[in-house]
Amino acid sequence: MELNGPMEDVIIVGTGCAGLTAAIYAARANLSPLVLEGREPGGQLTTTTLVENFPGFPDGIDGPQLIMNMHQQAEKFGARFRYAEVEDFEPGKSYHRLKVDGEWLETRSVIIASGASAKWLGLANEKELKGHGLTSCATCDGAFYRNVPVCVVGGGDTACEEAVFLTKFASQVYLVHRRDSFRASAILAERALKHPKITPIWDTVVAEYIPDERGEMRAVRLENLVTKEERILEVKCVFIAIGHTPNTVAFQKALPTDKAGYLVKKHGSLTEIPGVFAAGDVVDPHYRQAVTAAGQGCMAAMDAERYLTGCCGEGTHSD
Ligand code: NAP
């Protein structure tokens, strides 16, 4: 095992809302955190449009802009950033090791804020069709599908939000949901249902992607779960919005997770291992909001600082 570089005080894994807020707080505590930007720098907010529920922005703020602001804020106070994916994690008694790009980094504390990644349906042709009419990011790919019909799969906030966003480009947006009511919050569900370009298709799943001869999405085969009827829906792009899986693969050997793969906390932001903290979507299957992730990032940085200074036992309030 090769060790390069100095012992860090705190390494923050992830640059979504949780990781960047942790970076701001840790940097302001003079810990000069090293922040690792993984495969999806900026996290889920970089794939969203207008964020209307982050306090302090009465007119909303674009997700990527909000992330950029947080990044700048963290850098201003001395956070250091590095593009690197965590490949392995070895906790220790007084310090921990993280393997990135084949190199082991050592640190007294770790804040895991690696977020969550989009789930897929797991149908045939999925891999080949990604980027050819199959995507999980309306913000990234919506503009490619002007004046053609598209469909969104899912019934949560993301699906409703993406469907409304896609009406700017597509001729028609079908919202395919496996039940007969949305999981989405009332305001987003209503916005989708009231939109003249959006057609909900209830109780229905996508059973097959149908590509054209060039390997681009041409249509989907839909199956109604109640009537068992099948139909072909001609769409040029399928936007999958069925939730996310927490990014915990590198940590699962060392840290307990729940059935869905979320890290489990002991108390506060502390995991089972002293000096290892977790924040945001990687540990939170319930709230999963930008503002709750930011709050948890703040908590994790404060807990890490307390741990490093020997205050408050393992680094959290005795709650
Ligand atoms: P979500 O709330 O978990 O919703 C996932 C949706 O996909 C559900 O409707 C679910 O159906 C459906 N689904 C799951 N697996 C499926 C499958 N295999 N096949 C077909 N459908 C499937 O995920 P989300 O919409 O991404 O939201 C995640 C979190 O982010 C939530 O807490 C949400 O409030 C938040 N969010 C907030 C905003 C906002 O406030 N502006 C925007 C986006 C997201 P069932 O309903 O039947 O389970």
Side-chain angles (χ1 to χ4, degrees), residues 44 48 50-53 119-121 153-161 176-179 181-185 188 204-206 241-244 281 285-289:
Q44 292 171 53
T48 192
L50 196 62
V51 179
E52 289 178 311
N53 51 10
K119 281 187 194 165
W120 296 88
L121 293 177
V153 181
D157 281 338
T158 305
C160 290
E161 203 171 60
V176 178
H177 183 35
R178 64 183 177 182
R179 292 190 291 123
S181 65
F182 288 134
R183 174 183 294 276
S185 55
L188 293 179
T204 296
V205 292
V206 172
I242 60 168
H244 291 80
D281 283 12
H286 300 293
Y287 301 103
R288 296 179 297 174
Q289 303 297 301

Side-chain angles (χ1 to χ4, degrees), residues 17 42-70 139 157-158 161-162 165 168 187-188 191 288-294:
C17 256
Q44 292 171 53
L45 274 192
T46 58
T47 63
T48 192
T49 46
L50 196 62
V51 179
E52 289 178 311
N53 51 10
F54 200 90
F57 300 95
D59 299 323
I61 179 167
D62 273 336
Q65 185 63 52
L66 181 58
I67 284 296
M68 222 187 302
N69 292 354
M70 289 186 185
T139 323
D157 281 338
T158 305
E161 203 171 60
E162 298 217 329
F165 175 74
K168 290 205 272 185
I187 187 165
L188 293 179
R191 224 174 266 174
R288 296 179 297 174
Q289 303 297 301
V291 68
T292 52

Side-chain angles (χ1 to χ4, degrees), residues 34-250:
L34 176 63
V35 190
L36 302 179
E37 309 213 40
R39 218 178 318 155
E40 297 169 32
Q44 292 171 53
L45 274 192
T46 58
T47 63
T48 192
T49 46
L50 196 62
V51 179
E52 289 178 311
N53 51 10
F54 200 90
F57 300 95
D59 299 323
I61 179 167
D62 273 336
Q65 185 63 52
L66 181 58
I67 284 296
M68 222 187 302
N69 292 354
M70 289 186 185
H71 200 289
Q72 277 171 10
Q73 203 173 346
E75 250 177 347
K76 179 178 130 184
F77 292 117
R80 294 164 296 138
F81 288 84
R82 172 173 170 177
Y83 285 99
E85 186 95 11
V86 176
E87 295 153 4
D88 203 356
F89 170 60
E90 278 185 358
K93 250 196 151 90
S94 54
Y95 66 91
H96 314 286
R97 291 167 181 271
L98 289 160
K99 192 178 183 188
V100 296
D101 300 334
E103 170 195 351
W104 284 94
L105 306 177
E106 294 190 341
T107 179
R108 293 187 182 88
S109 70
V110 182
I111 296 173
I112 304 170
S114 45
S117 298
K119 281 187 194 165
W120 296 88
L121 293 177
L123 298 174
N125 297 328
E126 201 153 66
K127 201 166 160 226
E128 297 76 9
L129 280 163
K130 280 182 193 169
H132 298 275
L134 179 64
T135 173
S136 65
C137 180
T139 323
C140 320
D141 299 322
F144 297 127
Y145 299 94
R146 287 174 193 273
N147 305 316
V148 292
V150 301
C151 79
V152 176
V153 181
D157 281 338
T158 305
C160 290
E161 203 171 60
E162 298 217 329
V164 172
F165 175 74
L166 288 166
T167 58
K168 290 205 272 185
F169 312 104
S171 56
Q172 181 72 38
V173 180
Y174 298 98
L175 191 41
V176 178
H177 183 35
R178 64 183 177 182
R179 292 190 291 123
D180 64 355
S181 65
F182 288 134
R183 174 183 294 276
S185 55
I187 187 165
L188 293 179
E190 190 180 308
R191 224 174 266 174
L193 286 172
K194 276 191 171 161
H195 201 288
K197 271 190 177 181
I198 297 177
T199 306
I201 303 182
W202 303 113
D203 297 317
T204 296
V205 292
V206 172
E208 184 187 355
Y209 304 124
I210 304 173
D212 65 16
E213 64 286 351
R214 293 171 300 127
E216 302 288 329
M217 187 72 73
R218 178 177 70 77
V220 285
R221 180 164 59 82
L222 298 180
E223 184 186 330
N224 185 302
L225 295 176
V226 177
T227 63
K228 302 295 172 205
E229 274 170 32
E230 292 194 350
R231 64 186 267 212
I232 302 295
L233 182 71
E234 303 276 338
V235 283
K236 293 288 183 205
C237 191
V238 180
F239 294 84
I240 304 293
I242 60 168
H244 291 80
T245 309
N247 297 320
T248 50
V249 173

Side-chain angles (χ1 to χ4, degrees), residues 32 102 115 128 148 184 251 285 312:
S32 184
E128 297 76 9
V148 292
F251 302 99
C312 309

